[in-house]
Amino acid sequence: MPEKILVVDDEPDTVSLLSLTLGRAGYTVLKATSGRAGLDMAARERPDLIILDVMMPDLSGMDVLKALKQTYAAPPVIFFTAKSRVEDMVAGMEAGAYRYLVKPTSREKLLETVRAALA
């Protein structure tokens, strides 16, 4: 059974692009377009990995990660965001993210990071 990856991002184009890339690589992709929807989906579906935007209007990615860690053993989380300051990257890693990727990134880098997180 293919691994399930939850993509949480408020930008529909980003969700579509990630879904297409991950689907073509053989993963089952779950999608949410808000932090709250992502939390609900994660609790219901228990994905193997979450790709999470940091900046979302209803609940930030940092808040989502914090809530995930409080409710159950969260899967690895890869932040995928436009926030590129070193301070943001450090904060993401200190919050417990597996990796912090800055948009845009190459398809190869994304898939290598996903494979490593699922290993």
Side-chain angles (χ1 to χ4, degrees):
M1 179 178 237
E3 286 114 333
K4 290 191 289 188
I5 299 175
L6 172 58
V7 174
V8 185
D9 196 306
D10 63 322
E11 297 178 18
D13 290 345
T14 299
V15 173
S16 294
L17 182 60
L18 289 174
S19 297
L20 182 64
T21 299
L22 295 167
R24 284 186 177 165
Y27 299 105
T28 298
V29 182
L30 309 168
K31 302 174 241 178
T33 55
S34 73
R36 291 191 199 292
L39 274 177
D40 292 343
M41 178 88 58
R44 192 171 53 252
E45 297 290 336
R46 301 293 174 134
D48 300 297
L49 175 70
I50 299 174
I51 298 177
L52 182 60
D53 188 15
V54 173
M55 298 182 295
M56 291 182 283
D58 68 332
L59 196 61
S60 77
M62 295 290 186
D63 291 334
V64 170
L65 179 55
K66 183 179 177 182
L68 287 169
K69 291 189 172 288
Q70 290 175 349
T71 56
Y72 69 97
V77 170
I78 298 171
F79 277 125
F80 187 63
T81 181
K83 294 186 81 161
S84 61
R85 295 180 336 163
V86 171
E87 296 84 4
D88 296 320
M89 293 177 199
V90 169
M93 298 305 291
E94 287 178 347
Y98 173 78
R99 290 285 187 272
Y100 191 104
L101 296 177
V102 176
K103 296 175 188 177
T105 194
S106 70
R107 176 185 178 279
E108 293 79 12
K109 176 71 175 173
L110 173 68
L111 291 175
E112 180 275 324
T113 304
V114 165
R115 284 190 294 272
L118 291 169

